[in-house]
Amino acid sequence: MSTVEHDSTAGGSGTRRYRSSLRRRQAAQTRAVVLEAATRLFAERGWVGTGMRDVARAAGVSVETVYATFGSKADLLKWALEVAVVGDDAPVPLAARPVYTAIGAGRTTGERIEITVRMVGLINARLHRLAAALRQGATVDPTLAAVGADLEAQRRRSITDVAGVILGRRPDPGQVDELWVQTGDQVYALFIEGCGWSRVRYEAWLIDRIEEILDRPG
């Protein structure tokens, strides 16, 4: 009897570590499922048409779990947007990811522009419907209005940095203004969904615009 008790105690720390690791994996899986469901619903239904109970039902979890995991509907949309920008929920900023660092590896200005446009097209494809939901929500939720302003400020800084990598010098403010507008998700949506363009055609158009903008003073 004493031997059994001793063995159980000896293995206790290992059992606790296993259970802790299992709980972390389960929590991460739940988070991923909820985020996937929220991303799909926000993209399909917008801000007004998506409720936390809708997300919970689509994810197969309780609404309490959704709140406990993300805090609020606004926070949930914010996370969905951030994942859409970088492609996953790993804590790695866009500037440290291969899709971004590849820009600097381009041997010519033209190559660097093409790599940039592929990245922009990929991001906008994931982002544009979520961004529309954000703009819809920003009209009624000050938190989302602040999130939208912050995301656009980040995008403008990224555009300035990328243009600097392409040119090998700091871009003029006027060039940044034009690039910021032309690379926006709303322009992407107008061409893809409004005009029926393919992404290939959109990217070819954007390459021409960026070349034109960077080839002249701001």
Side-chain angles (χ1 to χ4, degrees):
M1 179 69 176
S2 61
T3 302
V4 173
E5 290 175 352
H6 175 74
D7 289 346
S8 177
T9 302
S13 61
T15 301
R16 285 194 296 271
R17 283 194 298 271
Y18 169 77
R19 288 175 178 169
S20 177
S21 177
L22 179 61
R23 283 195 294 271
R24 284 196 299 271
R25 289 198 301 272
Q26 290 173 334
Q29 290 169 354
T30 297
R31 181 182 181 84
V33 169
V34 171
L35 195 54
E36 187 280 331
T39 297
R40 176 166 49 81
L41 292 178
F42 280 129
E44 291 174 355
R45 304 181 184 180
W47 171 261
V48 174
T50 302
M52 295 292 263
R53 291 190 181 278
D54 299 319
V55 173
R57 190 177 303 112
V61 300
S62 69
V63 70
E64 291 79 12
T65 296
V66 178
Y67 278 108
T69 304
F70 288 96
S72 69
K73 182 178 170 182
D75 286 333
L76 182 54
L77 178 54
K78 180 182 177 181
W79 272 105
L81 285 159
E82 291 179 354
V83 169
V85 170
V86 298
D88 57 55
D89 63 352
V92 180
L94 180 63
R97 290 173 178 263
V99 69
Y100 187 103
T101 58
I103 297 169
R107 293 170 296 177
T108 65
T109 299
E111 281 187 10
R112 292 192 288 274
I113 289 174
E114 288 186 15
I115 295 167
T116 297
V117 168
R118 303 290 178 260
M119 179 185 72
V120 171
L122 186 64
I123 291 173
N124 280 337
R126 294 191 300 251
L127 180 71
H128 71 285
R129 288 181 181 144
L130 292 174
L134 172 66
R135 286 187 286 271
Q136 184 185 61
T139 63
V140 295
D141 190 320
T143 299
L144 287 181
V147 168
D150 183 58
L151 287 174
E152 283 303 310
Q154 290 179 36
R155 190 169 73 84
R156 192 179 184 89
R157 288 193 295 270
S158 293
I159 288 167
T160 303
D161 292 342
V162 169
V165 171
I166 292 171
L167 291 170
R169 62 168 173 80
R170 188 168 182 82
D172 295 320
Q175 291 174 318
V176 174
D177 290 341
E178 292 189 62
L179 291 170
W180 179 65
V181 171
Q182 301 280 29
T183 58
D185 67 271
Q186 289 173 287
V187 173
Y188 174 91
L190 284 171
F191 279 128
I192 300 297
E193 298 189 345
C195 300
W197 282 21
S198 67
R199 207 166 95 190
V200 170
R201 184 178 178 185
Y202 161 79
E203 290 178 357
W205 171 86
L206 187 56
I207 287 170
D208 289 343
R209 298 291 75 71
I210 293 177
E211 287 178 343
E212 177 189 359
I213 291 166
L214 296 182
D215 195 40
R216 56 180 165 77

